[in-house]
Amino acid sequence: MANGKINVAVENIFPLIKKFLYSDHEIFLRELISNATDATSKLVHLSSIGEVKGEIGDPLIEVKVDKKSKKIHIIDQGVGMTKEEVNKYINEVAFSGAEEFLEKYKDNAKDSGIIGHFGLGFYSAFMVAEKVEIITKSHQNAPAAHWTCDGSPEYSIEKSGKKDRGTEIILHIAKDSKEFLEEARIRELLNKYNKFMPYPIKFGTKEETLPLPDDAKEDAKPETKTVDNIINNTSPAWTKPPADLKEENYKSFYRELYPMQFEDPLFNIHLNVDYPFNLTGILYFPKIQNDLNLQKDKIQLYQNQVFVTDNVEGIVPEFLTLLRGVIDSPDIPLNVSRSYLQADGAVKKISNYITRKVADKLNSLFKKDRKGFEEKWNDIKVVIEYGMLTEDKFYEKAGQFMLYPTTDGEYLTYNELETAVKDNQTDKDGKLMFLYASNVEEQHQYIETAKEKGYKVLLLDSPIIAHLIQKLEGEKENIGFARVDGDAIENLIKKEEATVSKMSDEEKESLKPLIEAVIPEKKYTVQLEAMDSKGLPFVLTQPEFMRRMKEMQNTGGGMMGAFPEMYTLLVNTNHELVEQILQTKTAKKRERLIQQSLDLARLSQNLLKGEALTAFIKRSVELIK
Ligand code: ADP
Ligand code: MG
């Protein structure tokens, strides 16, 4: 038996490990299973190049919890270590054996999937254990070794009688970490970190029901048999070549990732690149609802099939955090801060690659099956709009498949839209105006009026549309967007209409103060307009600019400061009722007519609420009595 002192620069690294190495103590299990997996990968690799002779079978990794004696065992059948190797790899802290292995076999070991990197993984065991033992036998013909360390830098190493190849790590769980002696807690961790690791991991056993033989009697009970309980899927879909996968495989993998998710994803994007960086994964487009924040953080990040985090901020462009799925890359540096990540060149490349793949996929879906794409549009548009707003590269590509739906259920590309409206939707300065509605129900009357005039009305109703419109107006020349119930539409209507006013200028002059006297609040600007006599007597519009700024504020960004509620009250001088207002001699009756017309205009904008609504209903009853 030999005793020694673990070779570390700091006198006592253990308290440091315990406190600072990882804030999350639970990752000890991930680290130890990663080491077991690495040892197995090495064995498989050495066997494949003939350095390990004979059959290696199907190496298994086993996790056992022994609550009574307060121990956890992690057992593998990998390469094992000689005594010398234990000295080298375990006693020399921060000397990563994984990196040395990769270095030595660098020409052919790249694809062997070694996980270790930092050389401190093993010591994370001391975050939860007061004593750790390693019993290990190398694949080389050497006696097995038994290493013990109680958490101080002193350790002992002696011979062991272990006969079969591989390593057993025994953790004597510390008092403050008793939670890890609960089977349920360990199962939870295995499910979180190790669900897709490449070698089978056994945790306990389970009963399996055997199928009944064909000639079984009717009341025959099926037999059961005790089998290993394997907790992982060793070859998850993202590790397979896309050509080997069918639609159904992608869907079932989605259900494997999100067992509580009942809705199928709309489509998927298989990521697969090995140069200039290594990255695989599958992204899914779920149906995106309007509440964006609720849906973020569903993408899982893996390194060589080990779960790392579901916070991919800084790695994936913001707009894509609305998607789901997995990304697996050994090339993402994870031992650094998020803000550093964003500046890291490799990470930037990865993020650009993902953006481009998503754009290409959308484009090909659009080209291949436009109708199918249109059907999905409402469920994916937010991601696309979000991407156009935040990633210039995506904006450039999205021009080809961004769709502008109309209130009549057409879906137009930008070019198609331009062609469709260029002849009759320009204002007096020759600027092309796109009309849009944000709510078919609430803006029904305005939409109808615009359509009667032969205008195309788009339906743009996502929560961030105001931002995108603002951007489009800035990027494209001589175009503008105007909501149907806004003031900008007047420019178009007036030009088209050329309706003659039935009212003389003197009449108008006496009408305006009559109305202003009754309109209570300062927020209405009264404006007399000769409009269609079959239209409404009063129409409310809101300045496009004000409304848009307000919307932008509500969804973040836009100009600061409170924007007042401001409306223009258009009084249709060609309307019979307005004529009547002017002719009515009794002040009371006139006031009632004005009030009623204003309330009707407010009602059609969904602005009549509370007390005002009650008063309106009362007045209406009076009027029809
Ligand atoms: P890393 O995995 O980054 O190399 P670790 O601290 O996790 O760092 O492990 C240090 C080294 O100890 C490994 O590189 C490996 O050589 C050796 N080792 C740890 N666990 C095992 C194991 N189960 N079987 C064989 N070797 C192991
Ligand atoms: Mg490791």
Side-chain angles (χ1 to χ4, degrees):
M1 169 162 165
N3 292 307
K5 216 168 165 195
I6 289 166
N7 186 9
V8 282
V10 203
E11 181 44 41
N12 196 342
I13 199 172
F14 294 117
L16 285 177
I17 288 172
K18 207 158 177 153
K19 277 219 171 75
F20 303 117
L21 181 56
Y22 298 99
S23 47
D24 243 353
H25 284 183
E26 65 178 34
I27 60 90
F28 77 94
L29 190 63
R30 175 188 83 188
E31 290 302 318
L32 296 178
I33 294 180
S34 292
N35 284 350
T37 301
D38 279 352
T40 310
S41 299
K42 286 176 193 168
L43 182 80
V44 169
H45 182 67
L46 292 177
S47 160
S48 77
I49 60 171
E51 283 199 22
V52 167
K53 303 270 182 285
E55 277 298 310
I56 57 167
D58 293 319
L60 187 77
I61 294 164
E62 182 172 6
V63 177
K64 285 200 281 201
V65 179
D66 182 348
K67 194 172 175 180
K68 235 180 173 169
S69 51
K70 304 189 178 70
K71 287 189 287 194
I72 298 179
H73 303 249
I74 296 107
I75 306 157
D76 69 63
Q77 300 161 0
V79 279
M81 286 179 276
T82 62
K83 187 178 155 197
E84 290 69 33
E85 284 170 331
V86 175
N87 270 324
K88 188 168 168 195
Y89 298 131
I90 300 298
N91 296 335
E92 308 230 350
V93 179
F95 180 93
S96 174
E99 259 172 41
E100 196 199 44
F101 184 90
L102 281 178
E103 186 59 32
K104 186 163 164 203
Y105 295 97
K106 67 167 170 267
D107 297 329
N108 52 22
K110 271 219 194 69
D111 305 323
S112 58
I114 306 290
I115 300 158
H117 262 317
F118 317 121
L120 277 174
F122 169 74
Y123 280 91
S124 66
F126 288 97
M127 298 192 301
V128 300
E130 56 191 20
K131 184 163 114 185
V132 179
E133 295 176 64
I134 305 173
I135 302 168
T136 179
K137 180 160 170 53
S138 164
H139 67 281
Q140 297 157 33
N141 202 8
H146 187 167
W147 177 93
T148 311
C149 180
D150 66 1
S152 66
E154 269 100 50
Y155 66 88
S156 72
I157 188 159
E158 57 193 305
K159 277 199 182 124
S160 137
K162 183 173 164 68
K163 287 277 170 323
D164 40 351
R165 181 203 63 227
T167 302
E168 172 165 7
I169 310 282
I170 305 169
L171 308 180
H172 298 255
I173 297 300
K175 279 203 186 64
D176 61 1
S177 299
K178 275 200 295 238
E179 58 177 297
F180 299 113
L181 290 169
E182 297 303 328
E183 223 180 276
R185 179 78 170 115
I186 296 298
R187 192 173 304 118
E188 181 196 330
L189 294 183
L190 291 171
N191 199 38
K192 176 169 172 188
Y193 293 103
N194 310 101
K195 198 167 155 188
F196 299 116
M197 290 194 68
Y199 297 103
I201 300 166
K202 175 186 170 185
F203 186 56
T205 54
K206 63 179 180 191
E207 297 300 308
E208 209 172 68
T209 314
L210 298 172
L212 284 170
D214 288 342
D215 57 353
K217 292 211 182 78
E218 239 184 69
D219 57 350
K221 275 217 187 98
E223 279 188 52
T224 59
K225 148 176 121 172
T226 308
V227 294
D228 288 351
N229 178 35
I230 303 296
I231 60 96
N232 55 334
N233 168 4
T234 56
S235 48
W238 83 83
T239 62
K240 294 177 185 167
D244 292 357
L245 296 165
K246 296 203 174 64
E247 196 53 38
E248 196 37 51
N249 303 115
Y250 285 110
K251 281 190 181 153
S252 62
F253 181 60
Y254 184 78
R255 282 190 288 271
E256 211 175 319
L257 279 177
Y258 310 105
M260 307 306 280
Q261 194 64 44
F262 299 112
E263 220 162 4
D264 274 340
L266 297 167
F267 53 88
N268 64 270
I269 300 167
H270 200 134
L271 307 168
N272 198 340
V273 58
D274 48 29
Y275 184 82
F277 50 84
N278 194 301
L279 180 129
T280 50
I282 300 173
L283 294 180
Y284 292 95
F285 262 77
K287 286 191 173 175
I288 310 275
Q289 262 78 48
N290 273 355
D291 191 349
L292 301 184
N293 288 322
L294 272 185
Q295 307 178 67
K296 285 188 182 171
D297 286 339
K298 293 287 189 326
I299 296 179
Q300 304 180 355
L301 181 66
Y302 288 76
Q303 285 200 344
N304 288 320
Q305 295 172 239
V306 188
F307 173 81
V308 180
T309 176
D310 52 14
N311 174 4
V312 293
E313 191 194 324
I315 296 160
V316 163
E318 166 103 12
F319 78 103
L320 293 176
T321 57
L322 290 169
L323 305 189
R324 297 197 179 146
V326 296
I327 290 172
D328 188 339
S329 174
D331 291 329
I332 299 171
L334 287 166
N335 50 341
V336 295
S337 73
R338 293 279 155 169
S339 54
Y340 176 85
L341 271 184
Q342 265 148 348
D344 186 78
V347 175
K348 192 80 212 141
K349 275 203 197 96
I350 289 176
S351 155
N352 286 343
Y353 164 79
I354 298 174
T355 304
R356 198 179 65 233
K357 271 301 264 213
V358 171
D360 290 347
K361 176 77 183 194
L362 289 165
N363 200 16
S364 85
L365 281 173
F366 173 69
K367 288 230 172 81
K368 250 194 241 147
D369 174 16
R370 174 155 180 173
K371 199 163 167 293
F373 190 78
E374 290 177 0
E375 279 161 11
K376 294 188 179 93
W377 182 255
N378 278 317
D379 296 314
I380 63 174
K381 64 186 176 197
V382 178
V383 181
I384 295 170
E385 291 163 359
Y386 200 165
M388 289 174 77
L389 266 175
T390 51
E391 297 286 324
D392 288 340
K393 288 243 164 62
F394 189 78
Y395 178 89
E396 282 162 29
K397 294 206 167 210
Q400 302 174 57
F401 52 77
M402 165 78 191
L403 292 181
Y404 298 82
T406 69
T407 49
D408 292 328
E410 287 176 287
Y411 290 83
L412 307 173
T413 63
Y414 185 81
N415 287 339
E416 289 163 355
L417 173 65
E418 223 180 57
T419 314
V421 304
K422 73 170 187 297
D423 291 333
N424 69 331
Q425 275 179 232
T426 45
D427 70 4
K428 54 187 181 308
D429 306 320
K431 188 165 154 189
L432 207 52
M433 288 300 266
F434 303 126
L435 295 184
Y436 70 102
S438 63
N439 187 320
V440 181
E441 299 282 304
E442 282 172 19
Q443 294 147 10
H444 184 262
Q445 170 217 330
Y446 298 90
I447 296 170
E448 287 308 304
T449 313
K451 284 204 310 206
E452 272 164 30
K453 304 243 158 31
Y455 300 144
K456 238 183 215 326
V457 181
L458 302 174
L459 178 60
L460 304 178
D461 58 2
S462 41
I464 50 173
I465 198 69
H467 295 267
L468 185 62
I469 286 175
Q470 198 72 12
K471 183 174 167 97
L472 288 165
E473 286 180 346
E475 300 272 339
K476 303 199 183 279
E477 262 168 56
N478 216 20
I479 60 124
F481 284 80
R483 207 165 89 175
V484 275
D485 58 343
D487 60 346
I489 192 174
E490 288 163 47
N491 295 332
L492 289 180
I493 295 175
K494 260 189 270 178
K495 181 175 161 248
E496 276 292 311
E497 267 237 309
T499 313
V500 258
S501 180
K502 288 185 194 156
M503 236 176 237
S504 70
D505 286 351
E506 297 85 66
E507 282 176 317
K508 280 188 196 163
E509 247 163 65
S510 49
L511 175 65
K512 203 171 175 193
L514 291 179
I515 292 171
E516 279 169 341
V518 182
I519 303 300
E521 288 127 302
K522 288 223 165 57
K523 60 181 180 181
Y524 301 105
T525 315
V526 177
Q527 197 176 314
L528 304 187
E529 288 292 336
M531 297 189 288
D532 192 342
S533 59
K534 290 190 286 293
L536 284 175
F538 287 11
V539 178
L540 282 175
T541 65
Q542 208 181 0
E544 174 79 17
F545 174 77
M546 288 284 185
R547 200 210 64 248
R548 206 187 285 174
M549 286 302 142
K550 227 186 214 141
E551 281 171 11
M552 286 168 72
Q553 254 179 0
N554 290 342
T555 47
M559 280 192 193
M560 283 303 136
F563 286 96
E565 290 277 343
M566 267 182 33
Y567 295 91
T568 304
L569 179 65
L570 297 176
V571 176
N572 184 357
T573 53
N574 285 351
H575 200 280
E576 227 185 290
L577 202 71
V578 176
E579 176 72 30
Q580 207 184 322
I581 290 173
L582 185 66
Q583 304 309 338
T584 303
K585 295 286 174 284
T586 34
K588 237 207 166 107
K589 192 171 172 208
R590 186 172 58 233
E591 263 168 44
R592 258 210 324 239
L593 284 174
I594 294 171
Q595 194 62 54
Q596 195 73 358
S597 304
L598 173 67
D599 282 353
L600 281 169
R602 290 164 82 190
L603 193 65
S604 74
Q605 279 269 44
N606 217 3
L607 292 168
L608 201 59
K609 305 206 165 93
E611 211 175 306
L613 182 60
T614 312
F616 168 78
I617 292 169
K618 258 201 189 137
R619 198 178 329 109
S620 302
V621 174
E622 288 301 317
L623 282 170
I624 56 176
K625 229 170 28 186

PDB file of all heavy atoms in Angstrom, residues 198-215:
ATOM      1  N   PRO A 198     -24.246   7.316 -25.410  1.00  0.00           N
ATOM      2  CA  PRO A 198     -24.027   6.297 -26.453  1.00  0.00           C
ATOM      3  C   PRO A 198     -23.866   4.853 -25.978  1.00  0.00           C
ATOM      4  O   PRO A 198     -23.889   3.948 -26.809  1.00  0.00           O
ATOM      5  CB  PRO A 198     -22.762   6.770 -27.156  1.00  0.00           C
ATOM      6  CG  PRO A 198     -22.057   7.631 -26.168  1.00  0.00           C
ATOM      7  CD  PRO A 198     -23.123   8.253 -25.319  1.00  0.00           C
ATOM      8  N   TYR A 199     -23.662   4.608 -24.678  1.00  0.00           N
ATOM      9  CA  TYR A 199     -23.590   3.215 -24.224  1.00  0.00           C
ATOM     10  C   TYR A 199     -24.679   2.973 -23.199  1.00  0.00           C
ATOM     11  O   TYR A 199     -25.029   3.877 -22.424  1.00  0.00           O
ATOM     12  CB  TYR A 199     -22.207   2.906 -23.632  1.00  0.00           C
ATOM     13  CG  TYR A 199     -21.134   3.042 -24.668  1.00  0.00           C
ATOM     14  CD1 TYR A 199     -20.314   4.170 -24.690  1.00  0.00           C
ATOM     15  CD2 TYR A 199     -20.991   2.086 -25.669  1.00  0.00           C
ATOM     16  CE1 TYR A 199     -19.360   4.329 -25.690  1.00  0.00           C
ATOM     17  CE2 TYR A 199     -20.044   2.238 -26.672  1.00  0.00           C
ATOM     18  CZ  TYR A 199     -19.231   3.363 -26.676  1.00  0.00           C
ATOM     19  OH  TYR A 199     -18.312   3.516 -27.677  1.00  0.00           O
ATOM     20  N   PRO A 200     -25.230   1.757 -23.197  1.00  0.00           N
ATOM     21  CA  PRO A 200     -26.358   1.476 -22.316  1.00  0.00           C
ATOM     22  C   PRO A 200     -26.013   1.701 -20.834  1.00  0.00           C
ATOM     23  O   PRO A 200     -24.945   1.291 -20.379  1.00  0.00           O
ATOM     24  CB  PRO A 200     -26.694   0.008 -22.583  1.00  0.00           C
ATOM     25  CG  PRO A 200     -25.632  -0.516 -23.470  1.00  0.00           C
ATOM     26  CD  PRO A 200     -24.899   0.623 -24.066  1.00  0.00           C
ATOM     27  N   ILE A 201     -26.910   2.363 -20.135  1.00  0.00           N
ATOM     28  CA  ILE A 201     -26.724   2.616 -18.707  1.00  0.00           C
ATOM     29  C   ILE A 201     -27.812   1.872 -17.945  1.00  0.00           C
ATOM     30  O   ILE A 201     -29.007   2.097 -18.174  1.00  0.00           O
ATOM     31  CB  ILE A 201     -26.802   4.129 -18.402  1.00  0.00           C
ATOM     32  CG1 ILE A 201     -25.713   4.880 -19.180  1.00  0.00           C
ATOM     33  CG2 ILE A 201     -26.659   4.376 -16.896  1.00  0.00           C
ATOM     34  CD1 ILE A 201     -25.894   6.379 -19.215  1.00  0.00           C
ATOM     35  N   LYS A 202     -27.362   1.013 -17.059  1.00  0.00           N
ATOM     36  CA  LYS A 202     -28.322   0.208 -16.305  1.00  0.00           C
ATOM     37  C   LYS A 202     -28.564   0.850 -14.938  1.00  0.00           C
ATOM     38  O   LYS A 202     -27.629   1.257 -14.254  1.00  0.00           O
ATOM     39  CB  LYS A 202     -27.755  -1.206 -16.113  1.00  0.00           C
ATOM     40  CG  LYS A 202     -28.614  -2.084 -15.232  1.00  0.00           C
ATOM     41  CD  LYS A 202     -27.935  -3.428 -14.965  1.00  0.00           C
ATOM     42  CE  LYS A 202     -28.721  -4.158 -13.876  1.00  0.00           C
ATOM     43  NZ  LYS A 202     -28.077  -5.416 -13.479  1.00  0.00           N
ATOM     44  N   PHE A 203     -29.831   0.954 -14.595  1.00  0.00           N
ATOM     45  CA  PHE A 203     -30.178   1.420 -13.246  1.00  0.00           C
ATOM     46  C   PHE A 203     -31.268   0.503 -12.712  1.00  0.00           C
ATOM     47  O   PHE A 203     -32.442   0.644 -13.064  1.00  0.00           O
ATOM     48  CB  PHE A 203     -30.648   2.879 -13.294  1.00  0.00           C
ATOM     49  CG  PHE A 203     -30.886   3.476 -11.925  1.00  0.00           C
ATOM     50  CD1 PHE A 203     -29.886   3.479 -10.964  1.00  0.00           C
ATOM     51  CD2 PHE A 203     -32.124   4.037 -11.607  1.00  0.00           C
ATOM     52  CE1 PHE A 203     -30.109   4.026  -9.704  1.00  0.00           C
ATOM     53  CE2 PHE A 203     -32.346   4.594 -10.349  1.00  0.00           C
ATOM     54  CZ  PHE A 203     -31.332   4.588  -9.397  1.00  0.00           C
ATOM     55  N   GLY A 204     -30.876  -0.485 -11.942  1.00  0.00           N
ATOM     56  CA  GLY A 204     -31.840  -1.438 -11.398  1.00  0.00           C
ATOM     57  C   GLY A 204     -32.357  -2.402 -12.452  1.00  0.00           C
ATOM     58  O   GLY A 204     -31.813  -2.503 -13.554  1.00  0.00           O
ATOM     59  N   THR A 205     -33.422  -3.070 -12.096  1.00  0.00           N
ATOM     60  CA  THR A 205     -34.021  -4.026 -13.028  1.00  0.00           C
ATOM     61  C   THR A 205     -35.501  -3.724 -13.158  1.00  0.00           C
ATOM     62  O   THR A 205     -36.042  -2.899 -12.418  1.00  0.00           O
ATOM     63  CB  THR A 205     -33.877  -5.470 -12.503  1.00  0.00           C
ATOM     64  OG1 THR A 205     -34.431  -5.501 -11.179  1.00  0.00           O
ATOM     65  CG2 THR A 205     -32.430  -5.909 -12.473  1.00  0.00           C
ATOM     66  N   LYS A 206     -36.129  -4.360 -14.116  1.00  0.00           N
ATOM     67  CA  LYS A 206     -37.580  -4.204 -14.241  1.00  0.00           C
ATOM     68  C   LYS A 206     -38.191  -5.515 -14.713  1.00  0.00           C
ATOM     69  O   LYS A 206     -37.483  -6.388 -15.230  1.00  0.00           O
ATOM     70  CB  LYS A 206     -37.906  -3.081 -15.214  1.00  0.00           C
ATOM     71  CG  LYS A 206     -37.431  -3.340 -16.617  1.00  0.00           C
ATOM     72  CD  LYS A 206     -37.808  -2.199 -17.546  1.00  0.00           C
ATOM     73  CE  LYS A 206     -37.304  -2.510 -18.952  1.00  0.00           C
ATOM     74  NZ  LYS A 206     -37.382  -1.412 -19.869  1.00  0.00           N
ATOM     75  N   GLU A 207     -39.488  -5.617 -14.540  1.00  0.00           N
ATOM     76  CA  GLU A 207     -40.198  -6.824 -14.971  1.00  0.00           C
ATOM     77  C   GLU A 207     -40.693  -6.614 -16.388  1.00  0.00           C
ATOM     78  O   GLU A 207     -41.294  -5.595 -16.711  1.00  0.00           O
ATOM     79  CB  GLU A 207     -41.397  -7.100 -14.054  1.00  0.00           C
ATOM     80  CG  GLU A 207     -41.023  -7.380 -12.604  1.00  0.00           C
ATOM     81  CD  GLU A 207     -40.111  -8.586 -12.453  1.00  0.00           C
ATOM     82  OE1 GLU A 207     -40.460  -9.662 -12.983  1.00  0.00           O
ATOM     83  OE2 GLU A 207     -39.039  -8.437 -11.816  1.00  0.00           O
ATOM     84  N   GLU A 208     -40.410  -7.588 -17.242  1.00  0.00           N
ATOM     85  CA  GLU A 208     -40.894  -7.478 -18.603  1.00  0.00           C
ATOM     86  C   GLU A 208     -41.901  -8.583 -18.855  1.00  0.00           C
ATOM     87  O   GLU A 208     -41.662  -9.739 -18.494  1.00  0.00           O
ATOM     88  CB  GLU A 208     -39.718  -7.622 -19.565  1.00  0.00           C
ATOM     89  CG  GLU A 208     -39.920  -6.881 -20.870  1.00  0.00           C
ATOM     90  CD  GLU A 208     -38.629  -6.909 -21.675  1.00  0.00           C
ATOM     91  OE1 GLU A 208     -38.240  -7.999 -22.124  1.00  0.00           O
ATOM     92  OE2 GLU A 208     -38.024  -5.842 -21.823  1.00  0.00           O
ATOM     93  N   THR A 209     -43.039  -8.239 -19.444  1.00  0.00           N
ATOM     94  CA  THR A 209     -44.056  -9.249 -19.726  1.00  0.00           C
ATOM     95  C   THR A 209     -43.723  -9.960 -21.023  1.00  0.00           C
ATOM     96  O   THR A 209     -43.507  -9.323 -22.049  1.00  0.00           O
ATOM     97  CB  THR A 209     -45.434  -8.579 -19.851  1.00  0.00           C
ATOM     98  OG1 THR A 209     -45.569  -7.670 -18.757  1.00  0.00           O
ATOM     99  CG2 THR A 209     -46.548  -9.592 -19.815  1.00  0.00           C
ATOM    100  N   LEU A 210     -43.674 -11.289 -20.963  1.00  0.00           N
ATOM    101  CA  LEU A 210     -43.374 -12.054 -22.178  1.00  0.00           C
ATOM    102  C   LEU A 210     -44.658 -12.261 -22.975  1.00  0.00           C
ATOM    103  O   LEU A 210     -45.737 -12.402 -22.404  1.00  0.00           O
ATOM    104  CB  LEU A 210     -42.770 -13.410 -21.803  1.00  0.00           C
ATOM    105  CG  LEU A 210     -41.442 -13.338 -21.042  1.00  0.00           C
ATOM    106  CD1 LEU A 210     -41.033 -14.731 -20.544  1.00  0.00           C
ATOM    107  CD2 LEU A 210     -40.365 -12.750 -21.937  1.00  0.00           C
ATOM    108  N   PRO A 211     -44.556 -12.285 -24.302  1.00  0.00           N
ATOM    109  CA  PRO A 211     -45.770 -12.513 -25.103  1.00  0.00           C
ATOM    110  C   PRO A 211     -46.294 -13.933 -24.882  1.00  0.00           C
ATOM    111  O   PRO A 211     -45.515 -14.865 -24.654  1.00  0.00           O
ATOM    112  CB  PRO A 211     -45.274 -12.318 -26.537  1.00  0.00           C
ATOM    113  CG  PRO A 211     -43.797 -12.486 -26.486  1.00  0.00           C
ATOM    114  CD  PRO A 211     -43.354 -12.112 -25.103  1.00  0.00           C
ATOM    115  N   LEU A 212     -47.604 -14.079 -24.937  1.00  0.00           N
ATOM    116  CA  LEU A 212     -48.215 -15.406 -24.761  1.00  0.00           C
ATOM    117  C   LEU A 212     -47.943 -16.254 -25.996  1.00  0.00           C
ATOM    118  O   LEU A 212     -47.954 -15.745 -27.115  1.00  0.00           O
ATOM    119  CB  LEU A 212     -49.725 -15.256 -24.573  1.00  0.00           C
ATOM    120  CG  LEU A 212     -50.203 -14.775 -23.204  1.00  0.00           C
ATOM    121  CD1 LEU A 212     -51.690 -14.455 -23.259  1.00  0.00           C
ATOM    122  CD2 LEU A 212     -49.925 -15.839 -22.150  1.00  0.00           C
ATOM    123  N   PRO A 213     -47.699 -17.530 -25.809  1.00  0.00           N
ATOM    124  CA  PRO A 213     -47.553 -18.397 -26.994  1.00  0.00           C
ATOM    125  C   PRO A 213     -48.881 -18.493 -27.755  1.00  0.00           C
ATOM    126  O   PRO A 213     -49.944 -18.268 -27.181  1.00  0.00           O
ATOM    127  CB  PRO A 213     -47.147 -19.748 -26.390  1.00  0.00           C
ATOM    128  CG  PRO A 213     -47.537 -19.670 -24.949  1.00  0.00           C
ATOM    129  CD  PRO A 213     -47.515 -18.224 -24.548  1.00  0.00           C
ATOM    130  N   ASP A 214     -48.807 -18.811 -29.045  1.00  0.00           N
ATOM    131  CA  ASP A 214     -50.010 -18.836 -29.891  1.00  0.00           C
ATOM    132  C   ASP A 214     -51.093 -19.773 -29.366  1.00  0.00           C
ATOM    133  O   ASP A 214     -52.284 -19.499 -29.470  1.00  0.00           O
ATOM    134  CB  ASP A 214     -49.634 -19.258 -31.316  1.00  0.00           C
ATOM    135  CG  ASP A 214     -48.864 -18.134 -32.004  1.00  0.00           C
ATOM    136  OD1 ASP A 214     -48.960 -16.982 -31.499  1.00  0.00           O
ATOM    137  OD2 ASP A 214     -48.176 -18.397 -33.004  1.00  0.00           O
ATOM    138  N   ASP A 215     -50.665 -20.905 -28.792  1.00  0.00           N
ATOM    139  CA  ASP A 215     -51.656 -21.891 -28.357  1.00  0.00           C
ATOM    140  C   ASP A 215     -52.035 -21.731 -26.883  1.00  0.00           C
ATOM    141  O   ASP A 215     -52.500 -22.671 -26.243  1.00  0.00           O
ATOM    142  CB  ASP A 215     -51.114 -23.312 -28.626  1.00  0.00           C
ATOM    143  CG  ASP A 215     -49.774 -23.532 -27.920  1.00  0.00           C
ATOM    144  OD1 ASP A 215     -49.231 -22.536 -27.348  1.00  0.00           O
ATOM    145  OD2 ASP A 215     -49.265 -24.665 -27.946  1.00  0.00           O
TER     146      ASP A 215
END
